[in-house]
Amino acid sequence: MVIVMSPDAGENDLAEVVSNIEAAGGHAFVSRGVARTIVGVVAGEEVLENLQVHALPGVADVVRITAPYKLISRENHSQRSVIRVGGVPIGPGTVTLIAGPCAVETPEQTLEAAQMAIAAGASLLRGGAFKPRTSPYAFQGLGVRGLEILSDVRAETGLPIVTEVMDASDVDVVAAHADMLQIGTRNMQNFGLLQAVGSVGKPVMLKRGLTATYEEWLMAAEYIAQRGNLDIVLCERGVRSFEPAIRNMLDVSAVPMIQSLSHLPIIVDPSHAAGRRDLVIPLARAGLAAGADAVMVDLHPHPESARCDGPQALTRDELPALASAVRTMAAATDRTVAVPVPA
Amino acid sequence: MVIVMSPDAGENDLAEVVSNIEAAGGHAFVSRGVARTIVGVVAGEEVLENLQVHALPGVADVVRITAPYKLISRENHSQRSVIRVGGVPIGPGTVTLIAGPCAVETPEQTLEAAQMAIAAGASLLRGGAFKPRTSPYAFQGLGVRGLEILSDVRAETGLPIVTEVMDASDVDVVAAHADMLQIGTRNMQNFGLLQAVGSVGKPVMLKRGLTATYEEWLMAAEYIAQRGNLDIVLCERGVRSFEPAIRNMLDVSAVPMIQSLSHLPIIVDPSHAAGRRDLVIPLARAGLAAGADAVMVDLHPHPESARCDGPQALTRDELPALASAVRTMAAATDRTVAVPVPA
Amino acid sequence: MVIVMSPDAGENDLAEVVSNIEAAGGHAFVSRGVARTIVGVVAGEEVLENLQVHALPGVADVVRITAPYKLISRENHSQRSVIRVGGVPIGPGTVTLIAGPCAVETPEQTLEAAQMAIAAGASLLRGGAFKPRTSPYAFQGLGVRGLEILSDVRAETGLPIVTEVMDASDVDVVAAHADMLQIGTRNMQNFGLLQAVGSVGKPVMLKRGLTATYEEWLMAAEYIAQRGNLDIVLCERGVRSFEPAIRNMLDVSAVPMIQSLSHLPIIVDPSHAAGRRDLVIPLARAGLAAGADAVMVDLHPHPESARCDGPQALTRDELPALASAVRTMAAATDRTVAVPVPA
Amino acid sequence: MVIVMSPDAGENDLAEVVSNIEAAGGHAFVSRGVARTIVGVVAGEEVLENLQVHALPGVADVVRITAPYKLISRENHSQRSVIRVGGVPIGPGTVTLIAGPCAVETPEQTLEAAQMAIAAGASLLRGGAFKPRTSPYAFQGLGVRGLEILSDVRAETGLPIVTEVMDASDVDVVAAHADMLQIGTRNMQNFGLLQAVGSVGKPVMLKRGLTATYEEWLMAAEYIAQRGNLDIVLCERGVRSFEPAIRNMLDVSAVPMIQSLSHLPIIVDPSHAAGRRDLVIPLARAGLAAGADAVMVDLHPHPESARCDGPQALTRDELPALASAVRTMAAATDRTVAVPVPA
């Protein structure tokens, strides 16, 4: 951390800054320049996060230099990680397709969707049992019954399951059925939930908040890691923007940026970003071309009667194009498609 | 709801739209214009929220006309509501000042801050015992011990207490100590938490999410109302923007807009919006001039040693200016300052 | 400027940074800290703006400390300026009301609007002759004929005139008729136009770009000032946001922020921010309460037949409320209403 | 256009809406539904753009249905266009690489950069002679001398030239030297400039404004087309966002969206979006994978001494990776690389 003093700061202001840092357990190094005096700080993360030197008189600016996340940072872990979900890898060297219905509605719909996923080359099945919905009047998901349907479909198809958990009190039951727990966009900073999934022995997919900065997102991952769970995959799913024609704006820059800042894998969800079917495959291609380790898409046997997000679900007609997008983008970026688990 | 068919939609597309609406329990009214065919829908909120007609072939656009929130809408409740917190009103006709430290740190600091609040004309005390922090390495609040300190300070000063609850499992203990439960920005769509505070007999302050639209925010309030608790106050606390010089951008338009859409009171929090002391009083004045029913500000006896958000806390020196801002803005908008509870 | 070297930067990287600064004509001061080496730079603005040290190996971060605008900065000019437009002051100590039609349509409409402006207490008349319109099919303004109408109305009412200039080649003709030249939002970084109005002997109102940062906006003002014209008033007119319910989001934080960064006056335009009549007066009050030196509003004798932005124009019915808002907000912030020029 | 009346609108409100439409030259079709009355409007674009029915009493909502741009819309021109620049195609079926220095500095630097561009497979040379700069103290480009250098380098290498024009008064001189005129981000709504390039017989590249919606951007293109020039290429170059770690956010959704709305080609500029070298190639791949018709990148023989945007310029070391990205992405999307013009 570097503290820049203002030109009119006096010696007593400087002394107070230094004593503040030392009282907190850090070390202060003063450099007197011609125009400005600068104080370098060396200290542990707890000290740096809790310093309130911005509030002191004579302080013009405070600049962080080291990353405020430690366990997930690439600074201290130069090799990018591979996370395994029921044996399926997500990480460097492979491209993984995760597909399935937005919401689990019936055993038949879920099984049909899983078969569609396999047809497109997916090796993991997504499907929501607990659904976070903007309106209290909208379908909220089947809950535990949905988890049971997913378990049955896994038994039948062999596909490991990714499903969302919305509440700390549901973590145990979701973990008992799922192979990977998803934290949704709206819960990216639900810290109790992050700590709960940090204490469970299953991989976690952490979706980016609607306008979370990279740093805030990585700090949320650090909450999970701090509890001992480092099997975390980050998911870019579009950010809120000023553009009314699209639901969210897929931020493909997040892919190379996160890969340079953290050793954790990053994937993209073009379906929730776009909110409309015709954009899903171009955005899936774009995300994979930027280097995403996996892509997650919604599909549905009968989108017109879906209980959630029908307009964005791919149909049977689009499965060959999806399969081809994954295959060609993997090849064009020197990677292989993660092998589907045999049914 | 109005469904606009595309110009090339056929009769079978139209028939499918109509049968879809009727199968869901709604009524469809077809108007054949020269250029376009339009379908009006009359149905209850559950039907409208779960219709997936966007996904049908031939549908060009779907336009909501009635508000998707019912219990908190001004459409059905033309009188604006007054919410009482420990006897102190928030609503039309009055301006209420809520003040106190960002975080409860010690009994002495909390009592001093409460006395500062009273000196500025506050009738409610704010103070955080559970603190949502971006970094897991930052001070997380004193928890239940903080609630006990707040209770003691209320006993000594008579000021009712507003404090945040972050987790559904903490709602009972917070409700046992607090006069009003605050839902923070990051939890605006933590639906389990919303439902939990909806079932408790205490008023709730619902802060706006960092980029929540007015509609999403009001829908979050509807989640609380649906459980039977209509004692809800909305709090505008700045939205995320592109401007690096300020922490968040206080959206004063939210004040008249929310007052026209909902009967619930709306207040502003200039301290968390600005993130810096020198903007707090101008923004407090702006919010009140726009018609906010209350203003909530951070203050601290010793901001330079605060454990959280020191740079934005007002100091003793600024109390007269704060008191004057509240008084003059109340007078200029034909309202009275809500009377402080005697200590 | 402070350059922070990365931890793995070598001596040769440091030497290259230093020689780069010196070759450009600046002075470099090296401070070797424990964790990082930091280079302070002292140099003139041309040198700082053209240094490309970000591109050098071993450079981790570059932090500006002094403001990159000089002529308009408050650093070098601690007294806030008063700008006079046809004798009417805009600046500290007064609140000025500028009002008039969005577009000049006919002599009758413009005169009626001017009389409405006077009735509300305005001392300056706004009105557009050249209209920047998103669509090439929309009404583009009356051009020079509009300027003549404005001149006639000034002769009749005594109100000095504020009107927009869109093209460098029109600056002379607009300056021949207007008392103040307005640069619109879309032209905030039309540098040729900024330089042209910088060379003319009339005050300039510079509207903020739709997502211009404070720094970019002030740099645009610096372009004008550099040509010798320091009679500049900045106008906050709402920024682009994610919120669909309002046209733009009035950024009231800009008022105290700009006043702390620059000696130039700042005003607000609630009409273009809101895009709807019912928000104009609350937002005008908010802007003035935050300390804006003036407020500019659209009004129209017959908004339903306006050729531009009818929905936001105040009508005759709202003039008393507007007059009262200006009067009460001036009083509540210890200022006087700028005296209208007698007709 | 569809006008939705509010539930409490009376017959006189409806009559006024209808007479307003008819007075303007449009046709109104009234549909009385159970809950709401709806008025359909059929009219030409000039009538629709100038209707001010939002301002009338009883009007709840106004919904545009047809695109407000005509000449460039895909509604009326289903085949996507190919634009030729000095014989090089930009459009469906090919991928075109445009490369060169951000700014023309010297004949040697420009020639070296052109040779680098050729080495990477480029068939068009970019380079700025007139540079729009945020600061008046920054290098503003060589002006006409820069155009002459570009002409010389074209004579030597055979590469057609793309260069920016900032002012309507410079259009003739730029058109005399350039093969394609670029309109920069800050000038997207400089309507006089748009009309000037619309009257010149050279192709135009129109960059998207920093927070322009798709509709505003296409309307700006319509201004050019309206003057008779339909040789327009749209360029997505990143939009302003809340994320501090990147300069702008490349909006890859714009590629398929614009291709569905307009027949004009769309390209991406990853260099100006990213602002940093390490993101350029991943973003170039992403843009092309999304279907962009061309990619434009900055490169420089000596970025550390560049006079503008050095940190984003690719160096010699990165040329093979750039060439490979263009080649593999063209192949993966079934297109060919546009053939470079022989030197």
Side-chain angles (χ1 to χ4, degrees), chain C residues 86 88 111 114-119 121-125 152-160 339-343:
Chain C
V88 177
L111 181 58
Q115 288 160 341
M116 291 169 68
I118 291 170
S123 47
L124 293 171
L125 177 66
D152 291 347
V153 170
R154 175 180 46 202
E156 182 131 356
T157 62
L159 290 180
V339 181
V341 176

Side-chain angles (χ1 to χ4, degrees), chain B residues 29 111 303:
Chain B
F29 299 88
L111 180 59

Side-chain angles (χ1 to χ4, degrees), chain C residues 19-73:
Chain C
S19 80
N20 219 280
I21 293 163
E22 292 177 346
H27 298 280
F29 299 88
V30 176
S31 311
R32 291 166 199 272
V34 172
R36 300 282 179 123
T37 293
I38 285 164
V39 185
V41 184
V42 175
E45 195 51 42
E46 284 82 0
V47 172
L48 292 177
E49 275 299 327
N50 290 299
L51 273 181
Q52 296 281 327
V53 284
H54 311 67
L56 291 178
V59 171
D61 207 355
V62 178
V63 186
R64 283 288 312 222
I65 294 169
T66 52
Y69 34 87
K70 298 294 160 199
L71 302 170
I72 63 158
S73 165

Side-chain angles (χ1 to χ4, degrees), chain D residues 13-190:
Chain D
D13 294 332
L14 182 63
E16 198 171 340
V17 167
V18 170
S19 80
N20 218 282
I21 293 163
E22 292 178 346
H27 297 279
F29 299 89
V30 176
S31 311
R32 291 166 199 272
V34 172
R36 300 282 180 124
T37 294
I38 285 164
V39 184
V41 184
V42 176
E45 194 53 41
E46 284 83 0
V47 171
L48 292 176
E49 275 298 329
N50 290 301
L51 272 180
Q52 297 282 328
V53 283
H54 311 68
L56 291 178
V59 171
D61 208 355
V62 177
V63 186
R64 284 286 314 222
I65 294 168
T66 52
Y69 34 86
K70 297 293 158 200
L71 303 170
I72 63 158
S73 165
R74 209 164 166 187
E75 270 179 6
N76 311 314
H77 190 300
S78 67
Q79 198 84 19
R80 293 188 57 234
S81 297
V82 176
I83 308 301
R84 287 179 190 279
V85 182
V88 177
I90 303 178
T94 50
V95 166
T96 308
L97 175 60
I98 309 169
C102 184
V104 172
E105 299 166 18
T106 65
E108 296 70 32
Q109 166 253 10
T110 308
L111 180 59
E112 274 191 77
Q115 287 160 342
M116 290 169 67
I118 291 171
S123 48
L124 293 171
L125 177 67
R126 64 147 293 149
F130 296 93
K131 298 297 307 171
R133 303 303 298 277
T134 301
S135 167
Y137 303 107
F139 174 57
Q140 310 270 320
L142 298 182
V144 174
R145 175 69 193 120
L147 297 175
E148 293 165 354
I149 293 173
L150 286 168
S151 287
D152 291 347
V153 170
R154 173 179 47 203
E156 183 131 354
T157 61
L159 291 179
I161 287 165
V162 182
T163 197
E164 178 159 356
V165 58
M166 288 171 58
D167 210 282
S169 63
D170 294 326
V171 166
D172 286 342
V173 68
V174 176
H177 289 88
D179 299 283
M180 179 178 234
L181 282 69
Q182 178 181 313
I183 303 290
T185 293
R186 298 167 177 87
N187 278 321
M188 192 199 85
Q189 291 188 316
N190 180 338

Side-chain angles (χ1 to χ4, degrees), chain A residues 184-304:
Chain A
T185 291
R186 297 166 177 89
N187 279 321
M188 192 200 83
Q189 291 188 316
N190 180 338
F191 299 120
L193 181 58
L194 297 178
Q195 290 171 329
V197 299
S199 305
V200 100
K202 288 281 170 74
V204 176
M205 177 189 294
L206 178 64
K207 289 196 149 187
R208 182 182 185 181
L210 211 48
T211 46
T213 62
Y214 302 149
E215 185 170 310
E216 289 167 342
W217 190 12
L218 292 171
M219 292 299 260
E222 186 86 358
Y223 264 95
I224 301 172
Q226 230 202 0
R227 294 289 167 121
N229 188 348
L230 272 154
D231 286 343
I232 307 166
V233 170
L234 299 162
C235 178
E236 161 64 34
R237 44 79 71 215
V239 296
R240 180 140 280 174
S241 83
F242 60 87
E243 174 58 65
I246 50 175
R247 186 161 63 181
N248 293 121
M249 191 175 277
L250 188 72
D251 174 19
V252 288
S253 308
V255 174
M257 282 297 296
I258 291 292
Q259 289 177 347
S260 74
L261 295 169
S262 170
H263 59 86
L264 300 177
I266 176 166
I267 78 168
V268 292
D269 174 347
S271 303
H272 284 80
R276 38 187 287 175
R277 187 171 300 137
D278 59 337
L279 298 186
V280 172
I281 291 176
L283 292 182
R285 276 202 309 260
L288 293 175
D293 298 303
V295 63
M296 179 161 79
V297 302
D298 281 16
L299 40 76
H300 199 288
H302 308 288
E304 68 286 0

Side-chain angles (χ1 to χ4, degrees), chain B residues 96-176:
Chain B
T96 308
L97 175 60
I98 309 169
C102 185
V104 171
E105 299 166 17
T106 64
E108 296 70 31
Q109 166 254 10
T110 308
L111 180 59
E112 275 190 77
Q115 288 160 341
M116 290 168 68
I118 290 171
S123 48
L124 293 171
L125 176 67
R126 64 147 292 149
F130 295 93
K131 297 299 305 172
R133 303 303 298 276
T134 301
S135 167
Y137 302 108
F139 173 58
Q140 309 270 320
L142 299 181
V144 175
R145 175 69 193 119
L147 297 175
E148 292 165 355
I149 293 174
L150 287 167
S151 288
D152 291 347
V153 170
R154 174 179 46 202
E156 183 132 353
T157 62
L159 290 179
I161 287 164
V162 181
T163 197
E164 179 160 355
V165 58
M166 289 171 58
D167 210 283
S169 63
D170 294 327
V171 166
D172 286 343
V173 66
V174 176

